[in-house]
Amino acid sequence: MVVWNTTQRCNLSCVHCYARAEDGIRSDELTTEQGKDLIDDLAQFGVPVLIFSGGEPLMREDLFELAGRAKDLGIRTVLSTNGTLITRENAGRLKRAGFSYIGISLDGMEGTNDHFRGQDGAYAAALQGIRNCTSAGLRTGLRFTLTRHNLADAYRMFDLVEEERIPRVCFYHLVYSGRAADLIHDDLSPTERRSFIDHMI
């Protein structure tokens, strides 16, 4: 499995972003043709799964073209996204492009998530993105990065996935890089982590 951070562009400004993503095009990102060459190489290596991540991969205008190239070469494609740009139209395009799974990040209930994401309305937009994917027939899951500031909300995620009939939820450790490099003291203690794992089980 390969995770390709396709861009450092993003429409949000998350406090714990390991890529330090921000809006604005960077000159050192792969072009469409370079991206296709990369995908061709991955296919030759026999890579079975390619995860398009970022930044926010939907900020790349050529995302669907690149995903189509991977699909044509027999690579299973997955999207890792904040979900806020998944309109009904984009959900349909993701389905037609052959994405097999869409992982959408939430970092808490509405107030907590919007604080983490640096934008009011991010929670509502991401939740609508999940619903749009589900309506389009896309297999969709929720992704959640654990910190001490959203641990209480993590326990509430189980109610949300049940209410929304989201078939999968993944909990991630905090990665101390990018903007999260200064958040080491906001990580869970071993006791907090063990308690949450016990609850999850």
Side-chain angles (χ1 to χ4, degrees):
M1 179 179 72
V2 169
V3 180
W4 177 19
N5 289 345
T6 57
T7 181
Q8 205 168 3
R9 294 180 64 193
C10 190
N11 60 317
L12 301 181
S13 183
C14 304
V15 297
H16 59 312
C17 179
Y18 65 82
R20 208 178 289 275
E22 57 190 4
D23 200 2
I25 299 175
R26 291 174 55 100
S27 60
D28 57 354
E29 291 182 358
L30 297 185
T31 65
T32 301
E33 291 308 311
Q34 289 171 332
K36 288 179 178 179
D37 288 344
L38 169 64
I39 291 168
D40 291 348
D41 285 345
L42 296 178
Q44 290 181 8
F45 297 152
V47 170
V49 180
L50 175 58
I51 300 177
F52 289 85
S53 187
E56 173 49 57
L58 282 165
M59 297 286 283
R60 279 194 72 127
E61 293 79 4
D62 58 359
L63 172 67
F64 299 101
E65 183 179 354
L66 293 169
R69 177 65 156 249
K71 180 187 175 187
D72 290 344
L73 294 173
I75 300 175
R76 179 176 167 237
T77 54
V78 172
L79 184 69
S80 178
T81 173
N82 63 44
T84 60
L85 302 178
I86 303 181
T87 59
R88 295 188 69 167
E89 179 186 1
N90 273 341
R93 294 181 72 191
L94 291 168
K95 178 70 173 178
R96 291 190 296 275
F99 280 94
S100 62
Y101 178 76
I102 311 296
I104 295 179
S105 297
L106 285 178
D107 292 304
M109 305 309 290
E110 188 164 13
T112 304
N113 179 81
D114 289 358
H115 170 73
F116 267 76
R117 297 277 158 185
Q119 186 177 107
D120 291 340
Y123 175 89
L127 192 57
Q128 187 58 53
I130 292 173
R131 292 168 179 163
N132 290 339
C133 286
T134 301
S135 296
L138 287 159
R139 183 168 173 262
T140 308
L142 188 150
R143 306 166 72 247
F144 189 106
T145 299
L146 291 161
T147 76
R148 287 183 174 171
H149 299 292
N150 64 2
L151 180 58
D153 286 13
Y155 288 92
R156 299 174 64 188
M157 284 294 111
F158 297 100
D159 293 329
L160 178 67
V161 297
E162 187 173 17
E163 291 165 5
E164 295 290 333
R165 298 188 176 184
I166 301 169
R168 184 180 188 205
V169 56
C170 300
F171 293 95
Y172 292 90
H173 302 291
L174 185 64
V175 177
Y176 311 137
S177 68
R179 282 194 291 272
D182 299 326
L183 299 182
I184 188 168
H185 298 296
D186 297 326
D187 202 357
L188 302 186
S189 69
T191 300
E192 289 170 322
R193 196 179 310 281
R194 179 72 247 183
S195 177
F196 181 72
I197 290 171
D198 286 342
H199 179 80
M200 181 166 53
I201 291 170

